[in-house]
Amino acid sequence: MQLPVDICVLLLSLVAPAVLYAMNNVTKQPVMVLTLGAAVLYIIPYIMSFIILHLLALQHWENIDPLFYVLAVFSFTCLVGLTNALEQDGYISGYMGFYLKKGEPHLSTAYAVMMNYWEGVIHFLLFLIIIHRMFRGKSYRSLALFWAGSSIAHQIVFIPGVVIGKYGSNIHPAFWRNTPFLLLPIWGAILLFSRERELPIIPADKIAVAQKRSLLYRPVDLILSLLLLGAMAFSVFRGVVALDCPLDTCFTYIYQYEPYLKDPVVFPRITMLVYLFYALPLLAAFIYGLRNPGCTWMLDWAIFFAGAIAQTQWCHIGGSLHSRTPFTYRVPTDKWSTVMILNGLYVALPILLAIRCRLSPTFFMPTVPEGQTSPEKKDN
């Protein structure tokens, strides 16, 4: 009897805590930590997924999406991250102690703990659902794009934050095992974006009517556009705050609202700079896409962007409230509701935009040529 591939991957991933426990009790040198870490995180799960897939799960596997192997390996590492988060919060012990000392001490920070929760829960569920749909011939492009955006955003904050932050002078060889976690999602995103988009079949007449309506007559798009403008302003403001703007407004905000931006681990500061230099141009592009018909790229990029903002905001909000963050850098109690509302809106907006694009893609479909829907054209 053959097992479903997603069940096989789930069983494979459950081995991770046992492997971590053994690794924690046998490694004594930093180089050994890197060697065993690479074996645990890449080689072992790849070999096991290959064996499970080809011997237990499928008989005909010539046309397997290469993205599967990345997801299978990453699903294993998701539970590695979840194990670390649970140990840092005191729910378990004996799994990560030595690795944190001689491998990646920065994984004990509040930001890394929240990052590991996201990986161990959200990414892990995404992987199982994507793999399930992949081997049943169902569409998984949107879920995979959400994962790609989330993973890339995670790494472009995490890796620079470690290098230039508080732990930059205490980097061990094991830190460099994060490199594939940046490169493989980028490869996956390029692979997904290069594939033909899955466009729904919509009558040309309906597309023409929808695309003739101006933004003023599309209240949902108008509201989203205004909110995107607000998000752009908030991105610029927090970006200049992170760059130590001397204005009184910036000084007040960083000390009275989000002192987490001053945390010496610098993950929150890097997050704000990512918003300033990467999210800001995309927000402007989305306003353009909501105003001008036929921007089919909106259907993919909105989902990718939603994944990126959801992951970074989860880590940012969670890190600013977590007990591992020094009290002086946490959100002040009297400003808690204001900060949470602002950050909540910032993460909700991309998700709402992605849902809008997904549920009603007519406006973003390829523009109908002039006269194509006329009665004369139909008669011919």
Side-chain angles (χ1 to χ4, degrees):
M1 180 179 178
Q2 292 180 340
L3 293 174
V5 181
D6 49 325
I7 299 300
C8 293
V9 172
L10 173 61
L11 295 175
L12 162 68
S13 302
L14 293 176
V15 179
V19 175
L20 278 177
Y21 189 84
M23 177 181 168
N24 187 60
N25 290 278
V26 300
T27 54
K28 300 300 180 183
Q29 298 297 329
V31 175
M32 182 62 71
V33 173
L34 173 61
T35 303
L36 291 180
V40 169
L41 296 177
Y42 307 121
I43 301 174
I44 293 176
Y46 180 83
I47 293 174
M48 292 179 69
S49 63
F50 186 88
I51 294 173
I52 287 175
L53 178 64
H54 298 324
L55 297 185
L56 299 179
L58 294 174
Q59 291 179 342
H60 305 289
W61 42 270
E62 293 82 358
N63 297 319
I64 294 175
D65 190 332
L67 192 61
F68 163 76
Y69 295 102
V70 175
L71 301 184
V73 172
F74 278 26
S75 65
F76 186 86
T77 61
C78 282
L79 290 195
V80 173
L82 182 60
T83 302
N84 175 65
L86 292 174
E87 179 160 336
Q88 299 311 307
D89 280 344
Y91 296 108
I92 58 176
S93 62
Y95 291 87
M96 300 292 296
F98 185 81
Y99 184 78
L100 290 178
K101 292 180 181 178
K102 299 297 183 180
E104 297 189 76
H106 47 268
L107 290 180
S108 63
T109 62
Y111 184 94
V113 170
M114 300 308 298
M115 175 189 75
N116 286 155
Y117 276 126
W118 182 270
E119 288 183 341
V121 178
I122 303 301
H123 280 180
F124 187 63
L125 291 177
L126 276 175
F127 294 154
L128 293 181
I129 296 172
I130 292 171
I131 291 172
H132 176 84
R133 297 181 67 85
M134 184 183 293
F135 288 95
R136 279 159 180 75
K138 299 180 180 180
S139 174
Y140 54 89
R141 180 190 183 94
S142 296
L143 292 172
L145 283 171
F146 187 91
W147 159 75
S150 174
S151 293
I152 293 172
H154 153 209
Q155 292 298 334
I156 63 176
V157 172
F158 180 69
I159 293 178
V162 174
V163 173
I164 67 176
K166 176 182 177 181
Y167 293 90
S169 60
N170 192 27
I171 293 178
H172 299 291
F175 167 73
W176 302 108
R177 60 95 185 171
N178 289 288
T179 304
F181 288 103
L182 173 63
L183 299 180
L184 289 175
I186 291 176
W187 168 81
I190 294 173
L191 184 69
L192 291 165
F193 279 118
S194 63
R195 293 175 180 174
E196 186 176 356
R197 292 188 180 93
E198 301 165 355
L199 298 177
I201 300 175
I202 301 175
D205 289 345
K206 187 175 180 180
I207 295 176
V209 170
Q211 294 183 347
K212 287 180 180 178
R213 297 169 61 192
S214 69
L215 187 62
L216 294 177
Y217 295 95
R218 289 180 282 121
V220 173
D221 291 350
L222 178 60
I223 293 173
L224 285 173
S225 297
L226 294 175
L227 290 175
L228 287 169
L229 284 172
M232 290 177 65
F234 194 46
S235 298
V236 172
F237 176 70
R238 289 205 294 183
V240 296
V241 168
L243 291 172
D244 295 326
C245 173
L247 294 177
D248 291 342
T249 304
C250 298
F251 182 86
T252 300
Y253 185 82
I254 200 170
Y255 279 94
Q256 297 186 15
Y257 289 86
E258 288 200 73
Y260 186 50
L261 297 178
K262 300 191 286 89
D263 194 325
V265 297
V266 308
F267 293 125
R269 181 166 297 193
I270 296 295
T271 301
M272 296 306 109
L273 296 181
V274 168
Y275 291 163
L276 179 62
F277 295 111
Y278 296 97
L280 183 64
L282 279 174
L283 290 169
F286 291 145
I287 295 175
Y288 175 88
L290 288 172
R291 185 179 182 277
N292 296 276
C295 296
T296 55
W297 51 266
M298 286 277 291
L299 303 177
D300 287 343
W301 278 97
I303 297 174
F304 180 87
F305 185 71
I309 298 299
Q311 195 280 337
T312 51
Q313 280 293 97
W314 164 265
C315 294
H316 179 71
I317 296 172
S320 67
L321 302 175
H322 199 276
S323 60
R324 284 190 166 270
T325 297
F327 182 78
T328 54
Y329 298 123
R330 296 182 210 167
V331 177
T333 304
D334 59 334
K335 299 297 191 299
W336 189 91
S337 58
T338 302
V339 174
M340 290 303 106
I341 290 173
L342 290 173
N343 280 281
L345 288 174
Y346 196 85
V347 68
L349 178 57
I351 295 175
L352 292 174
L353 177 64
I355 293 173
R356 181 265 178 269
C357 295
R358 181 72 177 179
L359 295 182
S360 183
T362 307
F363 186 78
F364 309 109
M365 300 294 286
T367 305
V368 179
E370 186 72 24
Q372 183 172 320
T373 60
S374 65
E376 295 78 6
K377 187 72 175 180
K378 291 180 180 179
D379 292 340
N380 292 335

